[in-house]
Amino acid sequence: MTNMSSQMKKGIIEYCVLAVIAGRGYSYGYEIVRELSELGLAAQEGTMYPLLARLKKENLLESTWRQEGAGTPRKYYRLTPRGQGELCRFRAEWSDFCAAVNRVLREANQCE
Amino acid sequence: MSEVKRGIIEEYLQEVETHLPPGTGPAKGEFLREIRAHLEEALADSECPTEAEIRNTLERFGEPVEIAQSFAEEMQEDPRMKPPASHPPSWLVILLVVVLWPIGIILTWLSPAWQRRDKIIVTVVPLILLSVLLLGGTATYHSYTVVSTDQVHELEEVRHPGPPEVVSPAGSIVSFVALVLMLVLIGSPLFCGIYLAIQRIEGQ
């Protein structure tokens, strides 16, 4: 069951990353990782960065390095139009999927 | 942060780098830089993090081997990341940029080895230089030609019926423009080649 859970998370987590960035307008790795970790969605912080690299490579994200004051330079991400489209598509599909799963689970509950 | 503590982070980054797949180009350098930024920020709250705090941060971040493997997997999922066999090697692209700039530039744009920014620089810089030079040269040549023609007419009136014995300054301008043009034509592709080579080495 743990394996299934991790497989499920793996497929969904990239949309969560897109959603976090979309919610803030733009964000950087540390901030994204902290938010997802607090929600229990990023078990290993370091694995978020390969994911971000792929999302950028797939043109769902664009990035720019920026330094604020004397702080550490940060790589800020924001959604490309393609990324926004993908997120909208996932939102609709996820909503339908959740509704269907909930219906099935409710019916299963009634049987017990 | 002490040298010893900084050394722990460097060692960690080195281990990640060692296990990263070859041929992932600039993405690899960006990836390592981003991890470094994360670790620095994670430790920034504490003015002088203890060795235990650093080790704890690194542990939370993950095993270097696993992170490198994850990077390799994520990059493999995207076929664009792995250059297909049909792409010419980087050294050949750089050579063509220097020797046959137009063909080299086309291959540079097709190659995944460089970032878009680098491609734009090596395309635009020589074009701008050439345009400025041609426009400036043409304007200068034109103005001198007009002046020298006027001078010829004036002298023709004075010395008539003999032929005008005027050495036009346009000739020297043409030579000068031709010399600079030649320098730009040779120098720009050379600059582009060196620039691409540096970016390639830095990205690896």
Side-chain angles (χ1 to χ4, degrees), chain A residues 10 28 30 33-34 44-47 49-54 56-58 65 72-75 77, chain B residues 30-31 33-34 37-38 40-42 45 60-63 66-67 70-71 74-75 77-78 80-81:
Chain A
K10 198 171 184 291
Y28 58 98
Y30 185 74
V33 169
R34 297 309 297 166
Q44 253 194 349
E45 296 179 355
T47 54
Y49 288 93
L51 176 59
L52 284 166
R54 176 166 64 80
K56 189 190 166 189
K57 199 69 199 163
E58 288 178 350
W65 282 92
T72 310
R74 292 165 175 168
K75 189 177 179 183
Y77 292 93
Chain B
E30 283 251 325
F31 178 63
R33 193 179 166 200
E34 206 176 1
H38 177 105
E40 282 178 8
E41 187 139 4
D45 292 339
R60 211 168 48 237
F61 197 78
E63 282 294 317
E66 283 177 25
I67 290 162
S70 173
F71 181 76
E74 294 287 8
M75 293 298 108
E77 279 176 22
D78 182 359
R80 284 170 300 175
M81 196 59 198

Side-chain angles (χ1 to χ4, degrees), chain A residues 31-104:
Chain A
E31 197 173 52
I32 300 163
V33 169
R34 297 309 297 166
E35 185 164 340
L36 292 175
S37 293
E38 280 166 17
L39 295 168
L41 291 168
Q44 253 194 349
E45 296 179 355
T47 54
M48 283 294 110
Y49 288 93
L51 176 59
L52 284 166
R54 176 166 64 80
L55 293 176
K56 189 190 166 189
K57 199 69 199 163
E58 288 178 350
N59 197 28
L60 300 175
L61 292 176
E62 56 189 7
S63 67
T64 179
W65 282 92
R66 233 184 298 157
Q67 185 169 13
E68 285 170 9
T72 310
R74 292 165 175 168
K75 189 177 179 183
Y76 281 90
Y77 292 93
R78 69 174 184 181
L79 267 66
T80 60
R82 191 175 165 210
Q84 286 166 354
E86 275 295 297
L87 183 59
C88 286
R89 185 191 60 75
F90 175 77
R91 219 175 246 140
E93 281 182 14
W94 178 250
S95 181
D96 293 345
F97 178 75
C98 276
V101 171
N102 285 337
R103 199 164 56 238
V104 170

